[in-house]
């Protein structure tokens, strides 16, 4: 590494790269990385424009290499684009916030509480082991499409078991840039079928080097496919009938550049499908950090959706149905399929197994096996989060409908920089905390009344979540965005 940089410095001082820009590539990268690079190696980078923390730049390939080596421990650190126009179009497309996400509510507690305990760790383990048993799921291998058939069959079996052939279907999706197929299950929405709520993971696996014959890809990402499969099973076992259409996707060829998800998300955009939210499950089974769930906070992630996932975890923590702790982390580039949805302008989030630095080191090697982890207890948490997300965003219209538990008449209002609230039960509030989208506590107040106000003048614009703790230990959450 050292040697490489000094060689680069030497070449720089000799002016070797200074003139010739014919080799430069158009790339998008984190704004901070771009400005660091500009400061250290001005000859290697021309900054074109910056939008929402993403910079479009004209990069010398050696600069790209430097970025990859120095800034990141994995992945390219930038995304290449064919032309300046294509690059600019992509980032201009990424919206800051989505109104729809801000309006997501939590009122399906009766249904969710009833089903959370049904998540089965052994079911998750079974799917992980079955996927690993293909030996490899590298996108060009024969086994890749055999694993797609296996997932299709597994999902069809679940549909048949609970008698849902009429409104739930599975399809294989062919792609242009890989021979591997993606698998998609659709639960038809009963009220607004053109509104989609989608979760996904990737089915392919990879291993470094040219020999792709043994790539077990257990954590990366059999764990995600097993997680979403169990979420599907629990929902159908409980006669879940969503207002919005719910889809669950197992993507082809993520490992070679998000190919399957990119083709699907682009076609949804072109068909004007209204995807109200997407959540990716890629690597859910290695607990490498102290907290349970780490939300990615990269610039293209939808802040409001992250806040909503926090709100969901808090809701079902305070009801005692689980106790999940959470933190935030950054991949620093589009490291998984959620990026494909984000660049197509759909709100996307990525809850992850650990902080990226402490995540499973065995991925992309022959050691990414279930055996080395031993059980699927960590994945169980993600299956529960997936269920909470799907039920509360798509809403349930089946037999057990609208919750009578919450009938939460708590009122919140935001007036300039004052947040007022009035709680339904007359209880003292022991503490009020406000977290930003990076999960950091930016304000705390103690001993408030059930009807009270908070002065938010010290906060800058952005998304926040308010957590009120009442005297009896109950937590009430409310998300808001300051303009
Ligand atoms: N599951 C990984 C992404 C990942 C790895 C996230 C480690 C956090 C920590 C994913 O399957 C992957 O390998 N992605 C590629 C990027 C893609 C654009 C080819 C990567 O990270 O190199
Ligand atoms: Zn991977």
């Amino acid at each position: 590494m050292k040697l490489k940089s000094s060689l680069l410095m030497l070449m720089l001082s000799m002016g070797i790269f200074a003139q010739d820009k014919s080799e430069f590539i158009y790339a998008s990268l984190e704004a901070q990385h771009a400005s660091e690079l500009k400061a250290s190696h001005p000859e290697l980078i021309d900054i074109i424009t910056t939008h929402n923390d993403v910079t479009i730049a004209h990069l010398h390939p050696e600069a790209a290499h430097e970025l990859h080596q120095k800034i990141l421990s994995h992945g390219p650190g930038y995304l290449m684009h064919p032309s300046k126009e294509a690059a600019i179009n992509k980032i201009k497309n990424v919206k800051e916030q989505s109104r729809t996400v801000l309006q997501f509510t939590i009122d399906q507690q009766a249904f969710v509480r009833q089903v959370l305990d049904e998540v089965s760790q052994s079911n998750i383990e079974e799917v992980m082991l079955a996927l690993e048993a293909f030996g490899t799921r590298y996108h060009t291998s024969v086994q890749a499409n055999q694993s797609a058939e296996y997932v299709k069959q597994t999902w069809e079996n679940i549909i048949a078991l609970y008698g849902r052939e009429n409104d739930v279907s599975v399809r294989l999706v062919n792609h242009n840039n890989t021979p591997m197929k993606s698998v998609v299950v659709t639960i038809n929405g009963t009220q607004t079928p053109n509104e989609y709520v989608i979760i996904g993971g990737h089915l392919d696996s990879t291993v470094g080097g040219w020999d792709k014959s043994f790539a077990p890809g257990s954590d990366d990402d059999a764990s995600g496919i097993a997680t979403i499969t169990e979420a599907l099973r629990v929902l159908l076992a409980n006669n879940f009938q969503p207002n919005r259409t719910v889809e669950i996707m197992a993507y082809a060829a993520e490992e070679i550049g998000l190919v399957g998800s990119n083709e699907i998300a682009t076609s949804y955009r072109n068909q004007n499908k209204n995807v109200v939210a997407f959540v990716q499950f890629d690597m859910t089974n290695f607990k490498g950090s102290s907290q349970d769930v780490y939300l990615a906070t990269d610039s293209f992630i939808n802040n409001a959706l992250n806040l909503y996932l926090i709100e969901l975890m808090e809701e079902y923590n305070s009801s005692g149905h689980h106790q999940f702790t959470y933190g935030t982390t950054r991949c620093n580039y589009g490291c998984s399929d959620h990026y494909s949805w984000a660049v197509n302008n759909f709100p996307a989030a990525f809850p992850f197994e650990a902080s990226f630095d402490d995540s499973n080191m065995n991925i992309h090697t022959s050691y990414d096996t279930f055996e080395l982890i031993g059980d699927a207890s960590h994945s169980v948490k993600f299956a529960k989060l997936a269920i909470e997300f799907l039920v509360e965003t798509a809403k349930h219209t089946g037999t057990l409908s609208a919750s009578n538990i919450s009938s939460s008449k708590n009122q919140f209002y935001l007036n300039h920089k004052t947040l007022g609230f009035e709680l339904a039960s007359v209880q003292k509030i022991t503490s009020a905390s406000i977290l930003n989208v990076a999960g950091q506590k930016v304000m705390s107040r103690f001993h408030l009344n059930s009807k009270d106000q908070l002065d938010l003048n010290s906060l800058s614009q952005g998304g926040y979540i308010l957590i009120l703790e009442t005297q009896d230990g109950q937590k009430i959450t409310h998300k808001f965005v300051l303009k």
Side-chain angles (χ1 to χ4, degrees):
M1 241 331 279
K2 266 236 157 73
L3 197 78
K4 266 230 150 73
S5 335
S6 34
L7 183 65
L8 181 69
M9 288 309 291
L10 182 71
M11 293 166 94
L12 273 174
S13 57
M14 290 163 67
I16 283 178
F17 301 132
Q19 310 304 332
D20 181 16
K21 293 200 172 165
S22 62
E23 283 184 73
F24 275 44
I25 56 168
Y26 289 102
S28 53
L29 65 163
E30 295 270 321
Q32 195 197 335
H33 295 163
S35 56
E36 282 168 13
L37 199 63
K38 185 75 188 166
S40 60
H41 302 317
E43 296 85 344
L44 298 188
I45 177 168
D46 292 328
I47 291 180
I48 298 168
T49 181
T50 297
H51 187 70
N52 293 349
D53 290 343
V54 179
T55 291
I56 295 294
H58 207 197
L59 279 186
H60 189 279
E62 194 62 37
H65 178 75
E66 272 285 287
L67 257 179
H68 182 45
Q69 296 296 312
K70 281 175 86 168
I71 300 177
L72 300 152
S73 51
H74 61 97
Y78 60 91
L79 287 154
M80 221 198 268
H81 303 281
S83 69
K84 184 173 162 181
E85 291 67 36
I88 292 173
N89 273 341
K90 273 291 178 205
I91 61 163
K92 283 270 146 63
N93 245 346
V94 180
K95 263 197 219 147
E96 258 179 78
Q97 293 286 342
S98 143
R99 285 266 111 217
T100 322
V101 174
L102 285 173
Q103 282 151 15
F104 284 167
T105 51
I106 302 181
D107 53 20
Q108 300 294 304
Q109 292 95 332
F111 184 81
V112 173
R113 290 178 187 187
Q114 176 188 298
V115 308
L116 281 182
D117 279 349
E118 292 184 25
V119 172
S120 150
Q121 184 174 316
S122 63
N123 283 347
I124 297 177
E125 293 173 1
E126 195 182 304
V127 174
M128 283 175 65
L129 285 168
L131 289 174
E132 199 178 319
F134 286 99
T136 181
R137 302 183 307 281
Y138 189 66
H139 76 121
T140 51
S141 66
V142 180
Q143 294 99 310
N145 276 328
Q146 290 172 345
S147 72
E149 286 294 344
Y150 160 81
V151 169
K152 179 169 183 273
Q153 194 60 57
T154 305
W155 291 354
E156 280 173 351
N157 291 346
I158 292 172
I159 294 167
L161 181 63
Y162 301 114
R164 292 292 292 272
E165 292 90 343
N166 285 337
D167 64 335
V168 188
S169 57
V170 186
R171 69 182 196 272
L172 291 173
V173 180
N174 290 311
H175 293 296
N176 297 323
N177 294 303
T178 173
M180 187 177 179
K181 297 171 195 341
S182 295
V183 195
V184 176
V185 57
T186 306
I187 311 177
N188 295 341
T190 55
Q191 309 294 316
T192 50
N194 193 41
E195 292 177 4
Y196 288 75
V197 175
I198 307 178
I199 60 173
H202 70 91
L203 180 57
D204 65 319
S205 68
T206 192
V207 66
W210 57 270
D211 181 7
K212 305 292 185 191
S213 63
F214 188 57
S218 176
D219 193 28
D220 185 14
D221 179 29
S223 68
I225 302 300
T227 299
I228 60 183
T229 298
E230 181 59 4
L232 172 71
R233 190 198 64 80
V234 169
L235 291 175
L236 296 193
N238 288 280
N239 196 27
F240 174 57
Q241 292 177 30
N243 291 347
R244 291 179 166 135
T245 296
V246 166
E247 289 195 322
I248 299 182
M249 304 189 170
Y251 299 115
E254 182 268 357
E255 297 285 11
I256 57 153
L258 318 179
V259 170
S261 58
N262 189 31
E263 289 187 16
I264 293 176
T266 305
S267 96
Y268 276 39
R269 167 57 59 208
N270 293 339
Q271 292 170 64
N272 268 327
K273 289 189 174 176
N274 180 6
V275 179
V276 299
F278 174 80
V279 178
Q280 172 75 350
F281 292 88
D282 180 5
M283 299 170 64
T284 62
N285 202 32
F286 179 76
K287 190 176 189 301
S289 304
S290 54
Q291 315 296 317
D292 296 314
V293 175
Y294 283 77
L295 298 166
T297 53
D298 297 282
S299 56
F300 52 86
I301 297 267
N302 187 285
N303 289 337
L305 187 53
N306 265 351
L307 289 176
Y308 185 65
L309 294 176
I310 292 178
E311 215 181 346
L312 288 171
M313 289 190 269
E314 291 286 355
E315 170 69 35
Y316 295 101
N317 278 349
S318 63
S319 68
H321 287 76
H322 54 53
Q323 289 302 323
F324 296 165
T325 57
Y326 49 87
T328 59
T329 188
R330 281 169 86 91
C331 224
N332 288 321
Y333 63 100
C335 68
S336 194
D337 298 304
H338 56 299
Y339 185 76
S340 299
W341 294 94
V343 292
N344 279 292
N345 213 0
F346 296 119
F350 182 25
F352 189 68
E353 65 184 10
S355 81
F356 288 127
D357 289 342
D358 298 330
S359 64
N360 194 336
M361 298 295 276
N362 288 326
I363 65 162
H364 304 181
T365 75
S366 56
Y367 297 102
D368 182 8
T369 61
F370 178 75
E371 200 184 358
L372 278 178
I373 295 185
D375 65 53
S377 54
H378 201 44
S379 293
V380 165
K381 302 165 195 166
F382 291 84
K384 291 182 177 176
L385 182 59
I387 290 168
E388 291 161 15
F389 167 74
L390 291 177
V391 177
E392 294 284 7
T393 51
K395 301 299 183 197
H396 175 60
T397 43
T399 41
L400 183 78
S401 66
S403 154
N404 46 15
I405 297 179
S406 81
S407 54
S408 154
K409 293 283 178 284
N410 299 329
Q411 307 272 332
F412 294 88
Y413 59 89
L414 190 60
N415 191 357
H416 300 292
K417 286 208 160 176
T418 301
L419 179 64
F421 56 83
E422 185 169 354
L423 303 187
S425 66
V426 189
Q427 274 224 48
K428 288 274 182 208
I429 292 162
T430 48
S431 74
S433 323
I434 295 180
L435 310 185
N436 64 15
V437 285
Q440 291 153 336
K441 200 177 273 188
V442 290
M443 189 188 275
S444 1
R445 293 278 180 277
F446 301 95
H447 308 299
L448 297 162
N449 296 314
S450 60
K451 181 178 178 186
D452 221 322
Q453 290 188 340
L454 293 165
D455 177 355
L456 307 181
N457 272 298
S458 62
L459 304 184
S460 48
Q461 67 176 54
Y464 297 92
I465 187 161
L466 166 71
I467 303 174
L468 299 175
E469 193 160 353
T470 61
Q471 238 166 2
D472 65 355
Q474 228 203 319
K475 279 186 180 165
I476 296 157
T477 59
H478 178 71
K479 60 186 184 310
F480 61 92
V481 171
L482 289 184
K483 297 275 170 222

